[in-house]
Amino acid sequence: MNEQALETIELELAILFRRVTSIALIGSLDRSAYLLLRQISENGAAGVKALADEFHLDISTVSRQTAALEQKGYVYRIPDPTDGRAYSLQITEKGAKELNETKLARLERIAKRLNDDWSEDERQQFGYLLTKFNRSFVE
């Protein structure tokens, strides 16, 4: 691997992480709440274990995060009919509203960065490469 290319990628990722932090603070949802609500919204009700597996986190971490979402009224529990101790979480109307508002604010902020200096092809390629890079962490 080209050492200069690797150093450029490392530095640019560090800068990107720093700058993206400001985007993640938009809206009323923090990063973990946003990702959990987005997962439930897009894929349907899910249990804490499934969410922990999806994000490669400890069950206790996701349990705390989902408890906070439940306390705010963003999700509610659906009891598992076969196991009285188990449940899935479903997004509420309030949660969907907060998710949508946060998503729109984040998209607006990102769109400003991907202005006319970026061709549609570059935007598509950037999305593809980010997806490919993110998936490399799962394998």
Side-chain angles (χ1 to χ4, degrees), residues 30-77:
D30 64 26
R31 184 187 63 225
S32 63
Y34 178 78
L35 289 171
L36 288 168
L37 287 177
R38 188 126 188 218
Q39 178 70 18
I40 294 167
S41 176
E42 292 178 4
N43 298 297
V48 172
K49 183 178 180 340
L51 292 168
D53 290 346
E54 175 65 29
F55 294 110
H56 301 278
L57 296 170
D58 292 337
I59 291 174
S60 62
T61 299
V62 174
S63 182
R64 280 192 308 277
Q65 292 170 346
T66 56
L69 292 176
E70 188 176 14
Q71 186 177 34
K72 291 178 181 177
Y74 295 160
V75 297
Y76 64 93
R77 294 179 187 208

Side-chain angles (χ1 to χ4, degrees), residues 114-125:
L114 297 172
N115 57 27
D116 294 337
D117 293 343
W118 290 69
S119 71
E120 190 56 38
D121 186 53
E122 288 173 322
R123 291 180 192 120
Q124 292 287 331
Q125 186 68 9

Side-chain angles (χ1 to χ4, degrees), residues 84-117:
R85 299 167 295 163
Y87 60 90
S88 293
L89 296 160
Q90 178 66 322
I91 193 166
T92 64
E93 209 173 291
K94 180 180 179 181
K97 181 179 182 283
E98 290 295 327
L99 174 62
N100 190 51
E101 288 175 4
T102 300
K103 181 180 174 183
L104 291 175
R106 290 168 65 125
L107 288 171
E108 182 181 333
R109 198 91 179 252
I110 293 167
K112 286 180 183 176
R113 303 304 183 271
L114 297 172
N115 57 27
D116 294 337
D117 293 343

